[in-house]
C-alpha cells in the first residue's frame, strides 16, 4: 500500500475497534499515518501491524503516540525485525514510559530482539504494570 492508500484506508475505518494491517507493506510512511490516526481515534482498541518491516522512523512514530493514545489496548508488532534496527525497542518503550496506561497486550514475537532489549522491555513492563500479556 502507498502512503495515500494507507491514509485513505485509515480515514474510512476511523471508527472501528480493530484494524489489521498485517503484512501490508506499509513501511515507515504507513506507520506515520497509523500514528496520526492513533492521535485522533477514540474507538480503536486492537491494532495489528505485523510483518511491515518498520525501521526506527516508523517505530518512533508509533512509540511517540503511545504516550498520548488513551484507547489502544492491544498492539501486535511481530515479524517486523525490530531487533535489527538500532533503537527501535527503546523508541517503542519510550511511549510507555511517557504515560501510556491503556495498553494491556503487546506482541513483539519474532523480532530478533537481543537480551539487553528483552531486559529493558521487562523492566519497563514491570514499572508500567498495565501490560498483562507480553
Amino acid at each position: 500500500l502507498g502512503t495515500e492508500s494507507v491514509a485513505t484506508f485509515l480515514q474510512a475505518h476511523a471508527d472501528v475497534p480493530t484494524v489489521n494491517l498485517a503484512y501490508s507493506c506499509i513501511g515507515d510512511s504507513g506507520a506515520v499515518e497509523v500514528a496520526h490516526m492513533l492521535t485522533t481515534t477514540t474507538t480503536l482498541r486492537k491494532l495489528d501491524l505485523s510483518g511491515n518491516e518498520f525501521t526506527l522512523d516508523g517505530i518512533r512514530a508509533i512509540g511517540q503516540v503511545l504516550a498520548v493514545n488513551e484507547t489502544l489496548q492491544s498492539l501486535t508488532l511481530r515479524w517486523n525485525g525490530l531487533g535489527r534496527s538500532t533503537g527501535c525497542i527503546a523508541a517503542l518503550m519510550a511511549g510507555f514510559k511517557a504515560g501510556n496506561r491503556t495498553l494491556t497486550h503487546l506482541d513483539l514475537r519474532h523480532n530478533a530482539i537481543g537480551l539487553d532489549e528483552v531486559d529493558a522491555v521487562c523492566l519497563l513492563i514491570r514499572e508500567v504494570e498495565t501490560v498483562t500479556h507480553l
Side-chain angles (χ1 to χ4, degrees):
L1 292 174
T3 303
E4 289 179 25
S5 297
V6 173
T8 301
F9 174 84
L10 293 172
Q11 288 170 357
H13 296 86
D15 60 347
V16 299
T18 301
V19 171
N20 185 342
L21 287 169
Y23 306 97
S24 296
C25 300
I26 64 171
D28 289 337
S29 60
V32 170
E33 291 299 327
V34 169
H36 176 71
M37 177 197 188
L38 287 171
T39 62
T40 60
T41 184
T42 58
T43 58
L44 187 64
R45 305 283 185 260
K46 186 175 181 180
L47 177 62
D48 189 342
L49 297 173
S50 299
N52 282 292
E53 293 296 323
F54 301 126
T55 66
L56 180 57
D57 292 337
I59 291 299
R60 183 179 290 130
I62 299 293
Q64 288 172 343
V65 79
L66 287 177
V68 296
N69 178 276
E70 297 179 355
T71 60
L72 192 65
Q73 297 170 352
S74 175
L75 177 60
T76 301
L77 290 167
R78 64 178 166 233
W79 292 108
N80 273 296
L82 301 182
R84 293 191 301 263
S85 186
T86 304
C88 278
I89 298 300
L92 184 63
M93 294 298 104
F96 289 106
K97 199 169 195 170
N100 183 282
R101 297 297 179 256
T102 60
L103 201 67
T104 59
H105 177 265
L106 178 63
D107 188 343
L108 296 173
R109 289 180 286 170
H110 307 292
N111 272 297
I113 297 171
L115 292 177
D116 289 342
E117 292 166 320
V118 169
D119 285 344
V121 169
C122 290
L123 287 172
L124 189 56
I125 296 301
R126 275 192 228 138
E127 180 181 322
V128 173
E129 295 182 349
T130 58
V131 175
T132 58
H133 186 142
L134 179 61

